[in-house]
Amino acid sequence: MIHCVDIIEARKRKWDGNLPKDQELTASIAHNLLLPENIHLVYEIQENPEYLIEMAFYIVNKEKRTVPFFLNDVQKSFLSDLRKAIEEHKAGNQRGIKLIVLKGRQQGFTSFITAYQLAATITQRNFSGMTVADSADNTATIFEDKARFPYSLLPDPLKPSEKFNNRKELHFDVLNSRWRCTTAGGEGAGRSKTINFFHGSEVAFWPDYENTMTALQGAFTTDCIQILETTANGYNEFKKLWDDAMKSENNWEPKFYEWWRT
């Protein structure tokens, strides 16, 4: 029986820089995913959304080329930390899933977390994700470049029925799943009935961390995955939050990824 990891390894082996050739491969992958005899692959992806990223997603690299989205070493390390936190929560060993990340620049955290939420949104019923960015410009960049662009290149069979696909939100009506991107301090930051995956991007640069998070708290489900990530920005609310996490004085789990790892 073939598994998602086998398909990922095959795509990696076959990638030779020929984009149209790879797109033919991803179209074939999408077709086979929907065959009744391969329903186990769908279950694997629903349990591990990251599989779909490496099976079918694209990203623009630093040379401005569109390439398959294969995880780098830092993204793999973070994924391992996220998986462990999810498993510990499911086993009842910790109350929530709250990761606070201090990172180097251009390590791909926002790209990966956005892709992870996108994969969950198009494969899981009732998924409700949100990313809050530090500025309106970065909100637009995250939505257009890190979500809408890879979504637009997916084979059509992998695209669910849409209710919204606009500047800030992807909403799939049959699945009742959605992902939204908004700006810290903006009017939309607290307007959500439920959020079961939350990503705060460049939190050290938010204009008002405490009030923004207070406005959101009521929307988080009890099992909400919460991820705060940022590069350093001097002494501010995030620095205190990080220091307290390092001393186990709050319920955030600190993760540090050195700049030289990429």
Side-chain angles (χ1 to χ4, degrees):
M1 179 183 292
I2 193 169
H3 296 282
C4 290
V5 292
D6 303 316
I7 297 172
I8 291 167
E9 289 306 311
R11 188 187 185 199
K12 288 180 178 179
R13 288 195 306 270
K14 293 179 179 180
W15 171 247
D16 59 2
N18 187 322
L19 183 60
K21 178 181 172 183
D22 188 78
Q23 288 178 307
E24 291 179 5
L25 176 62
T26 57
S28 176
I29 290 171
H31 171 76
N32 283 285
L33 277 176
L34 300 179
L35 296 177
E37 60 265 32
N38 289 330
I39 189 63
H40 67 283
L41 296 175
V42 176
Y43 294 149
E44 286 184 14
I45 292 169
Q46 288 175 331
E47 188 70 19
N48 302 277
E50 65 274 8
Y51 287 162
L52 189 61
I53 298 172
E54 295 196 292
M55 289 169 69
F57 279 30
Y58 292 95
I59 192 170
V60 177
N61 67 14
K62 294 179 181 179
E63 287 74 43
K64 299 182 180 179
R65 295 177 57 237
T66 300
V67 298
F69 196 146
F70 298 139
L71 305 190
N72 65 35
D73 288 342
V74 170
Q75 290 166 337
K76 289 177 182 177
S77 179
F78 174 71
L79 172 60
S80 177
D81 290 334
L82 177 59
R83 280 176 171 171
K84 182 179 178 182
I86 292 172
E87 289 168 3
E88 289 291 310
H89 176 68
K90 287 181 177 179
N93 297 328
Q94 61 185 45
R95 291 186 59 187
I97 304 167
K98 301 180 70 172
L99 303 180
I100 183 169
V101 175
L102 188 58
K103 62 176 188 176
R105 290 180 56 81
Q106 301 296 316
Q107 291 185 308
F109 278 92
T110 299
S111 295
F112 170 69
I113 297 169
T114 302
Y116 187 99
Q117 289 194 83
L118 175 59
T121 308
I122 66 179
T123 59
Q124 297 179 4
R125 290 189 180 277
N126 304 318
F127 178 84
S128 180
M130 174 182 279
T131 292
V132 175
D134 59 311
S135 68
D137 284 347
N138 285 339
T139 298
T141 297
I142 292 171
F143 186 83
E144 294 295 338
D145 298 351
K146 303 182 188 302
R148 205 177 207 179
F149 174 74
Y151 176 74
S152 71
L153 294 182
L154 283 176
D156 286 340
L158 295 181
K159 296 178 180 178
S161 172
E162 296 177 3
K163 183 174 182 178
F164 297 120
N165 180 350
N166 56 28
R167 290 188 304 122
K168 295 182 180 179
E169 182 177 8
L170 290 170
H171 185 180
F172 304 117
D173 48 6
V174 175
L175 287 173
N176 188 38
S177 63
R178 68 180 70 195
W179 170 77
R180 188 152 55 97
C181 190
T182 188
T183 308
E187 292 182 1
R191 291 183 181 176
S192 184
K193 293 181 179 178
T194 58
I195 301 172
N196 47 45
F197 194 115
F198 175 76
H199 167 215
S201 178
E202 292 294 354
V203 178
F205 297 85
W206 284 10
D208 192 338
Y209 166 82
E210 187 171 347
N211 284 337
T212 299
M213 289 299 290
T214 298
L216 289 164
Q217 286 297 327
F220 294 157
T221 59
T222 55
D223 61 346
C224 179
I225 296 172
Q226 299 179 52
I227 301 170
L228 303 179
E229 53 83 4
T230 190
T231 48
N233 185 33
Y235 193 89
N236 53 21
E237 289 176 295
F238 176 85
K239 177 64 165 59
K240 184 179 185 308
L241 189 73
W242 172 263
D243 289 345
D244 288 346
M246 290 293 291
K247 294 181 290 186
S248 299
E249 293 182 357
N250 58 30
N251 55 0
W252 290 95
E253 183 179 353
K255 300 293 179 182
F256 178 59
Y257 300 90
E258 300 90 345
W259 64 270
W260 46 261
R261 294 177 67 175
T262 47

